[in-house]
């Protein structure tokens, strides 16, 4: 579900100030995520993700950039697969949705503070994260749910 960003106009005389609402459409904001034994049980949006969209985020260099670190046969047509992290092939067999949500939301909580994998739904994603993401999450809850749905399709 997409929630339109509604511009609010505050007018005094002829001068109007426009402010876009930045309220997130995600049901669970980053500070409200509940970890339960390294898993996050409930969808961040309250709805299941879209695997087709998730495939796009997975390969997107500016967003998930998962391919920079994870080989994935399903995206063999895309160049530059990194091998820093384990291959994603068969990840849908090895993990449950709840475990994947934990890894994606906060890799540091699952793998420890020294992992180079960014925490994609933390306001402080990690030391190696681009400056533009400081104070923001790298992915939205909706994108995380889409990526979970996609990774669940990666079966051996
Ligand atoms: C900067 C590199 C990097 C990026 C980017 C990255 N990861 Fe990772 N990922 C890792 C590393 C390294 C590990 C292994 C855990 C560890 O030891 O730190 C890992 C582990 C995982 C695991 C567990 C795999 C297993 O078989 O144990 C999953 C699932 C995963 N990543 C998914 C993703 C997804 C999905 C994305 C994109 C949204 C992503 N990662 C982006 C580096 C990365």
């Amino acid at each position: 579900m997409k929630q339109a960003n509604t511009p609010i106009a505050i007018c005094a005389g002829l001068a109007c100030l426009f402010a876009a609402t930045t309220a997130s459409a995600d049901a669970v904001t980053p500070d409200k995520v509940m970890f339960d034994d390294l898993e996050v049980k409930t969808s961040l949006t309250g709805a299941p993700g879209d695997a087709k969209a998730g495939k796009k985020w997975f390969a997107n260099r500016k967003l998930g950039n998962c391919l920079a670190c994870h080989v994935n046969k399903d995206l063999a047509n895309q160049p530059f697969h990194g091998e820093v992290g384990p291959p994603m092939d068969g990840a849908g067999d090895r993990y449950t949705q709840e475990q994947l949500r934990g890894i994606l939301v906060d890799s540091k909580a699952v793998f420890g503070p020294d992992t180079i994998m960014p925490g994609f739904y933390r306001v402080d994603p990690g030391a190696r994260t681009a400056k533009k993401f400081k104070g923001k999450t790298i992915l939205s809850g909706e994108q995380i749910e889409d990526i979970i749905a996609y990774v669940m399709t990666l079966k051996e």
Side-chain angles (χ1 to χ4, degrees):
M1 266 201 310
K2 276 250 151 52
Q3 189 178 299
N5 272 357
T6 332
I8 300 170
I10 303 160
C11 296
L14 289 175
C16 292
L17 290 172
F18 285 92
T21 50
T22 49
S24 155
D26 297 322
V28 183
T29 50
D31 55 315
K32 296 273 158 45
V33 177
M34 295 279 288
F35 267 85
D36 183 353
D37 199 16
L38 305 186
E39 299 180 4
V40 177
K41 308 266 190 220
T42 46
S43 163
L44 302 173
T45 58
D50 170 1
K52 239 174 110 187
K55 184 170 180 168
K56 276 197 317 214
W57 311 136
F58 191 101
N60 187 307
R61 308 274 161 203
K62 299 215 174 77
L63 287 170
N65 206 7
C66 315
L67 274 185
C69 297
H70 295 284
V71 173
N72 178 5
K73 280 201 207 101
D74 185 50
L75 289 165
N77 60 335
Q78 300 262 347
F80 309 124
H81 293 217
E83 294 184 351
V84 177
M88 277 299 100
D89 309 319
D93 291 323
R94 293 195 295 278
Y95 291 98
T96 63
Q97 286 190 47
E98 291 78 13
Q99 289 170 324
L100 285 173
R101 192 175 291 112
I103 292 170
L104 286 172
V105 162
D106 190 356
S107 53
K108 322 276 171 209
V110 179
F111 302 128
D114 295 333
T115 183
I116 61 156
M117 178 161 160
F120 287 97
Y121 202 59
R122 279 167 53 119
V123 174
D124 169 22
R128 290 166 182 252
T129 312
K131 276 206 184 72
K132 64 177 175 180
F133 289 121
K134 291 266 152 66
K136 294 187 212 155
T137 63
I138 302 176
L139 297 173
S140 69
E142 191 177 19
Q143 288 166 334
I144 299 258
E145 293 304 324
D146 292 346
I147 292 174
I148 294 169
Y150 170 61
V151 174
M152 288 306 290
T153 68
L154 303 176
K155 308 281 189 187
E156 281 299 2

